[in-house]
Amino acid sequence: GGLFVSTADLARFGLLIEQEGRWGRATVVRPDWVATMTTPSRPNPEYGLMWWLNADRKALPAAPATAFWAAGFGGNYVYVDREHDLVVVLRWVPEFEDVIGAIVGSIAR
């Protein structure tokens, strides 16, 4: 199993979710479903539906509490940060927290 797509396609997926399911003028995923996906779950408040959440800022202290990301095997990530209008795709990067911290830190300066 797994999802095998290009970096550009992962970025498009991140943009779709960042834009609350809208692509141009079309609604591809209902905004209420995107909200549900990025709402803390009962079993784990740091996880929604297939998305990790930063609400308590433990995982990514440098990132906003509203940031969220998908994580795949081997250090593959799609990071979404609406406060900075930012989608980042990382491939084979085990230092996720450090890289996101550097990116967000460079924006905040």
Side-chain angles (χ1 to χ4, degrees), residues 3-73:
L3 179 66
F4 298 95
V5 298
S6 70
T7 303
D9 286 341
L10 282 175
R12 288 181 189 100
F13 183 68
L15 283 170
L16 177 68
I17 302 303
E18 183 206 21
Q19 297 168 6
E20 298 182 357
R22 293 180 195 90
W23 194 262
R25 294 182 180 181
T27 298
V28 179
V29 179
R30 290 184 6 203
D32 62 326
W33 180 246
V34 174
T36 298
M37 292 184 333
T38 56
T39 297
S41 64
R42 284 188 186 143
N44 184 349
E46 295 176 2
Y47 195 69
L49 299 176
M50 305 301 289
W51 291 94
W52 291 96
L53 311 174
N54 201 41
D56 59 10
R57 298 185 70 197
K58 284 194 308 191
L60 298 174
T66 56
F68 54 93
W69 61 95
F73 178 76

Side-chain angles (χ1 to χ4, degrees), residues 61-101:
T66 56
F68 54 93
W69 61 95
F73 178 76
N76 291 279
Y77 300 92
V78 179
Y79 170 82
V80 178
D81 180 343
R82 290 183 180 136
E83 289 187 31
H84 295 106
D85 191 23
L86 183 65
V87 172
V88 176
V89 174
L90 300 173
R91 304 297 296 264
W92 308 109
V93 176
E95 304 86 9
F96 178 61
E97 179 184 342
D98 296 337
V99 173
I100 295 301

